Amino acid sequence: MFEKMIVLSDEIHAFIKSKYDEGFNYLLDITAIDYSDYITQQEKDFALVYILRHESFKNYIVIKTYLHELEIETISDIFKGANWLEREVYDQYGISFKNHPNLRRVLNHKEFVGHPLRKSYPITKGQILHETDDLIDEMNHRLLSKGLVCKTDNGLFSECSKDLMFLNLGPSHPASHGTIRTYVALDGETVEAAVSEIGYLHRGFEKSCENHTYNQIIPYTDRLNYCSAISNNIAFVKTVEEMLGVTLSERAQAIRVMLLELSRIEDHVVCLAAVLVDMGGLTNYWYMYNPREDIYDLLSKLTGARLTNSYMRVGGMANDLYEGFEEDLKAVIKKIQHGVEQTLALIKHNRIFHDRTQNVGVISAEDALNYAITGPNLRATGVAFDMRKDTPYYGYENYEFDVVVGSVGDVYDRVMVRFAEIDESIKIIKQVMENLPEGDVNVKDASVTLPDKEAVYGTIEGAMNQFKLIYEGVKVPVGEHYSALEATNGELGFFIVSDGSGTPYKVKVKAPSFTAMSAYPEIIEGSQLADAILTLGSLNIIAGEMDR
Amino acid sequence: MELSNPSLPNNIAITTKLDEAIGWARESSLWPMIFGTACCAIEFMSVAASKYDISRFGAEVVRFSPRQADLLIVSGTVTYKQGPILKQIYDQMSEPKWVISMGACACSGGFYDNYTTMQGIDQIIPVDLYVGGCPPRPEALLDALLTLQKDLRTNKYNPNRHENFKGLLDNV
């Protein structure tokens, strides 16, 4: 359920404020579209798109505005989550936001010249960075706002109350996933102020989409959230299929549900293993990683790859389940349950675990919504937003499962929500496998899915069909569409602009980790340094998804 | 230990023996520093976990401080933004040191031929071994490790091998 509307650019702030008051208080995404190469002339070359979700979580609105000048009022005073999203638009498209508190690049480096997602920017034009940003400037403003430094007469900053020590957490640090940098001001062990820098794994996914066909993009989506590759595949092809207007067979839908849940387990297992290692509980890592290896074995038998499966295709999937899959899956599920049991036995009544996690890294439900945090991180605060229940797809309404919620929104809740979600996912998988419908897994539509190999080698029509689909790609009707599903980290959405060709004109990912990370500096301020590490781990920030 | 140490006797037969002794010692005491950035780092986690278990080959003490490590495993995409960090980590490691480039991205940029991804880490630091794959299977990384160990054992290690290397960030 969604509505599209076009608003004048100078009314955007007031309009979004009025929508906010109507209950659209959850900002999904902000992105821009560069229409300069588009098939039909648009009102202006640049447009901004805001996607907001209603507080009932059932419906969303897409607000578009054409820009007469490359400047617009910020909405970061309404949504905290808008801060980084607007910075990204500024970075990638060069559109500035009036009254933005900290308008600077977020994904590209500080020596970067130009705006890469503009159509005029050549895709392969790389720019070398010689020296990393010191972030002192941003830190000083942060300290100033907290009253920890004063501005001297000559415009410099000086410490005025506490004796602070500055420290870089990451990016090359095991607990910062190798790609996240947080610059902290410490008073003893307490984090007084923090600023985060991301973009170390910005691999230009969105730009790469603009010169690949739809099916060629699937391997790129694997590498967004590489801990649960298949769920990214599904989120992408689901959006494309909705634009095409094709309906999947029941069997394909059921298999997708089963694989989505298996990916969820796969991802939660890594997150939990890592966060417990960050806490010093190395044994849990061995317990949790063994079942993950079993999932890998199952998936490589099914898809041919352990980690980056690329299993989905527009209109279905690469192949049907192999014979004996069900028995293999049952065995894997037993092993997962065993691994979870062993881990829980170690931590469930463990005082150290409780002391280290309870009331640590707390984020309130209100803040979480305002930052557009989603998925298990949001549910841990007590908000029962789960797209599988609120806007069901692929027949999720037919399966019985619970939405797990926490109450405090601390590290403990985030960890335990994930443990409980593994159980719920297993429940769903069992239900799917009990009533797996028969039939084809691919839609029978020559303009969407590849013909049978016999037809390709035996008939001229089949050969032409194969050639055109591979060479030109699936032709998606002209339009702009946003669609999402409940991936492991929450609402994973794709906003696709099509110009009718086999290559998308623009793709934007609504990445759950991105918004969670934008809240991170605020969450850790005031907490202990060691707790900041745990908080990061429990948020399950996946850099590939965050930086794209 | 530098073999040109003047206090050692200048006797060819003994030097060869010493080489072998050192090679034997080095072979099984590699200390990897894992520079994990992306998907390949998740596969490295598998290599370290029980099933593949890198400790069987004497290289399990993963250090995250370059000062304590002699084998840099770059696993994952390195972007231009990450470049100076990687260079700094490499420079901070003391000799002797080796570099394994794990996965397509680290070797050549992989399929990310675009404005942000460095087209191979050998543009900024010298690499000893390249492991293909996106990501490589754990066996492939173990194979690279065994190859390196074999080279160390058979004295193929040449401390001056990267003497003439000049990367993009060395001109500054």
Side-chain angles (χ1 to χ4, degrees):
Chain A
M1 284 279 289
F2 66 98
E3 259 184 279
K4 285 181 185 172
M5 43 197 82
I6 294 179
V7 181
L8 286 175
S9 62
D10 43 359
E11 290 166 7
I12 198 80
H13 186 273
F15 185 79
I16 287 179
K17 184 83 184 80
S18 72
K19 284 287 164 194
Y20 178 86
D21 296 334
E22 279 173 38
F24 287 92
N25 57 13
Y26 189 73
L27 176 71
L28 288 175
D29 212 346
I30 304 176
T31 189
I33 307 171
D34 177 359
Y35 280 117
S36 47
D37 283 354
Y38 202 61
I39 35 160
T40 49
Q41 178 90 37
Q42 298 281 315
E43 213 173 291
K44 286 285 160 199
D45 268 359
F46 285 94
L48 267 181
V49 175
Y50 297 82
I51 308 171
L52 306 178
R53 194 175 274 288
H54 193 258
E55 59 189 351
S56 67
F57 300 117
K58 300 259 188 264
N59 45 4
Y60 63 91
I61 47 173
V62 179
I63 303 165
K64 193 158 118 182
T65 175
Y66 289 98
L67 295 173
H68 295 270
E69 48 188 326
L70 293 182
E71 196 177 43
I72 195 163
E73 190 75 20
T74 177
I75 57 160
S76 57
D77 54 329
I78 310 174
F79 297 102
K80 286 181 183 172
N83 188 319
W84 279 28
L85 289 168
E86 289 182 342
R87 278 174 67 185
E88 190 191 324
V89 173
Y90 165 73
D91 184 1
Q92 301 281 43
Y93 287 95
I95 296 165
S96 18
F97 292 85
K98 264 181 277 178
N99 303 326
H100 189 284
N102 180 30
L103 196 64
R104 53 198 283 153
R105 290 188 184 274
V106 65
L107 293 177
N108 294 300
H109 57 72
K110 65 162 184 176
E111 289 175 20
F112 202 91
V113 181
H115 301 285
L117 282 191
R118 285 191 179 179
K119 288 286 173 183
S120 56
Y121 192 91
I123 179 164
T124 52
K125 191 184 162 196
Q127 301 187 21
I128 294 164
L129 171 69
H130 295 93
E131 205 175 322
T132 306
D133 195 353
D134 56 20
L135 296 180
I136 287 172
D137 179 37
E138 201 177 341
M139 175 57 96
N140 273 336
H141 281 100
R142 190 92 200 110
L143 290 171
L144 197 66
S145 72
K146 299 183 134 272
L148 289 161
V149 294
C150 313
K151 223 169 192 171
T152 54
D153 294 335
N154 52 12
L156 296 171
F157 298 97
S158 74
E159 289 171 27
C160 54
S161 53
K162 284 174 178 161
D163 188 18
L164 296 172
M165 191 182 96
F166 295 91
L167 187 72
N168 267 312
L169 281 178
S172 183
H173 185 279
S176 76
H177 307 213
T179 41
I180 300 161
R181 176 177 172 208
T182 306
Y183 184 52
V184 291
L186 295 174
D187 177 32
E189 285 274 308
T190 310
V191 179
E192 291 291 341
V195 287
S196 285
E197 191 195 16
I198 63 164
Y200 285 102
L201 194 57
H202 176 48
R203 303 191 270 198
F205 169 79
E206 281 146 7
K207 189 78 174 176
S208 288
C209 287
E210 293 173 13
N211 69 350
H212 287 76
T213 64
Y214 286 94
N215 274 323
Q216 282 176 332
I217 292 170
I218 292 168
Y220 284 95
T221 61
D222 277 329
R223 289 150 183 84
L224 289 173
N225 181 347
Y226 32 74
C227 291
S228 53
I230 292 184
S231 51
N232 305 291
N233 291 175
I234 299 178
F236 177 72
V237 293
K238 178 173 174 273
T239 315
V240 180
E241 283 155 5
E242 282 174 17
M243 293 178 88
L244 284 164
V246 298
T247 314
L248 286 183
S249 70
E250 279 185 15
R251 183 175 176 84
Q253 296 192 15
I255 293 176
R256 281 192 181 176
V257 169
M258 184 262 295
L259 289 173
L260 273 170
E261 296 309 318
L262 198 61
S263 318
R264 196 181 314 282
I265 298 172
E266 200 189 1
D267 197 316
H268 283 352
V269 162
V270 188
C271 170
L272 293 168
V275 74
L276 291 167
V277 169
D278 288 348
M279 211 178 297
L282 196 63
T283 315
N284 303 288
Y285 176 70
W286 317 126
Y287 283 163
M288 296 298 260
Y289 230 84
N290 283 344
R292 190 171 154 94
E293 286 293 340
D294 295 313
I295 300 176
Y296 277 158
D297 288 346
L298 180 77
L299 287 180
S300 47
K301 212 167 157 186
L302 178 67
T303 69
R306 282 159 57 85
L307 193 69
T308 43
N309 312 97
S310 304
Y311 184 54
M312 292 300 146
R313 299 288 182 275
V314 176
M317 55 200 71
N319 49 275
D320 203 341
L321 303 179
Y322 61 86
E323 214 165 296
F325 177 83
E326 200 171 344
E327 287 71 47
D328 287 356
L329 181 65
K330 274 183 189 154
V332 168
I333 285 179
K334 271 209 186 103
K335 287 177 179 162
I336 296 165
Q337 284 170 323
H338 182 61
V340 171
E341 260 168 44
Q342 281 181 309
T343 312
L344 279 175
L346 281 178
I347 60 166
K348 211 171 183 175
H349 304 292
N350 185 329
R351 171 112 192 251
I352 303 171
F353 173 73
H354 286 244
D355 286 352
R356 287 290 320 267
T357 54
Q358 287 181 355
N359 295 315
V360 167
V362 181
I363 182 157
S364 68
E366 197 186 326
D367 273 351
L369 284 170
N370 206 251
Y371 268 115
I373 291 178
T374 167
N377 298 333
L378 177 64
R379 291 193 283 274
T381 67
V383 181
F385 170 43
D386 189 324
M387 294 195 71
R388 295 173 292 175
K389 286 279 188 206
D390 292 314
T391 53
Y393 46 91
Y394 296 153
Y396 262 114
E397 62 275 22
N398 305 325
Y399 303 113
E400 203 188 306
F401 66 100
D402 294 324
V403 175
V404 187
V405 290
S407 51
V408 185
D410 54 4
V411 174
Y412 181 82
D413 281 353
R414 290 193 281 269
V415 168
M416 284 306 172
V417 163
R418 287 194 171 86
F419 270 116
E421 282 191 2
I422 292 179
D423 288 343
E424 297 304 316
S425 292
I426 290 174
K427 258 198 234 168
I428 299 174
I429 292 175
K430 282 183 174 163
Q431 290 171 58
V432 174
M433 293 315 284
E434 269 165 27
N435 318 297
L436 192 63
E438 294 295 323
D440 283 326
V441 289
N442 284 316
V443 292
K444 287 271 166 258
D445 184 340
S447 64
V448 177
T449 46
L450 294 176
D452 293 334
K453 283 286 170 280
E454 285 154 35
V456 177
Y457 295 126
T459 64
I460 187 75
E461 292 80 15
M464 278 305 290
N465 190 186
Q466 167 100 7
F467 175 78
K468 281 188 89 77
L469 271 181
I470 295 289
Y471 199 74
E472 293 173 357
V474 182
K475 296 246 167 64
V476 174
V478 179
E480 294 164 10
H481 186 63
Y482 173 83
S483 175
L485 52 71
E486 185 73 28
T488 321
N489 270 339
E491 177 165 355
L492 173 69
F494 282 86
F495 177 75
I496 300 179
V497 179
S498 171
D499 57 1
S501 69
T503 302
Y505 186 77
K506 177 206 160 69
V507 174
K508 171 74 173 66
V509 190
K510 183 251 173 288
S513 292
F514 186 82
T515 42
M517 191 62 211
S518 71
Y520 176 68
E522 197 183 309
I523 301 176
I524 62 166
E525 278 174 2
S527 69
Q528 300 270 298
L529 185 61
D531 295 341
I533 300 288
L534 273 190
T535 307
L536 185 67
S538 70
L539 286 170
N540 195 26
I541 307 289
I542 306 288
E545 175 189 272
M546 174 179 69
D547 292 342
R548 286 152 282 141
Chain B
M1 185 191 283
E2 197 53 62
L3 293 177
S4 57
N5 189 338
S7 62
L8 286 172
N10 191 14
N11 182 316
I12 293 165
I14 292 175
T15 313
T16 315
K17 289 273 183 210
L18 200 54
D19 269 2
E20 272 181 25
I22 291 169
W24 172 80
R26 275 180 180 159
E27 179 196 342
S28 299
S29 60
L30 286 168
W31 290 40
M33 145 92 209
I34 171 85
F35 192 85
T37 57
C39 337
C40 284
I42 305 288
E43 276 302 65
F44 183 83
M45 285 165 82
S46 280
V47 180
S50 345
K51 186 168 174 186
Y52 291 96
D53 195 6
I54 197 170
S55 55
R56 291 180 293 158
F57 308 101
E60 82 274 29
V61 193
V62 180
R63 294 287 102 172
F64 290 97
S65 165
R67 307 255 187 222
Q68 299 172 338
D70 53 11
L71 170 63
L72 180 64
I73 300 177
V74 181
S75 54
T77 317
V78 175
T79 58
Y80 288 111
K81 194 169 183 173
Q82 189 82 268
I85 313 260
L86 176 60
K87 168 100 175 98
Q88 192 176 1
I89 299 271
Y90 176 78
D91 288 344
Q92 283 176 342
M93 289 169 66
S94 49
E95 290 282 356
K97 57 186 171 186
W98 299 272
V99 178
I100 292 180
S101 160
M102 178 185 180
C105 288
C107 296
S108 68
F111 69 177
Y112 291 102
D113 184 11
N114 59 32
Y115 63 94
T116 172
T117 309
M118 192 167 283
Q119 302 298 302
I121 58 165
D122 52 8
Q123 295 191 343
I124 48 167
I125 59 168
V127 175
D128 291 292
L129 281 157
Y130 297 87
V131 188
C134 189
R137 286 186 64 92
E139 292 91 335
L141 185 66
L142 292 177
D143 183 49
L145 182 70
L146 291 174
T147 310
L148 177 66
Q149 289 181 330
K150 194 175 160 206
D151 282 3
L152 293 180
R153 188 168 61 236
T154 52
N155 293 318
K156 279 193 189 155
Y157 166 61
N158 168 15
N160 303 321
R161 67 201 186 287
H162 298 312
E163 193 166 57
N164 297 321
F165 179 86
K166 208 161 170 59
L168 290 175
L169 299 176
D170 287 319
N171 302 324
V172 200

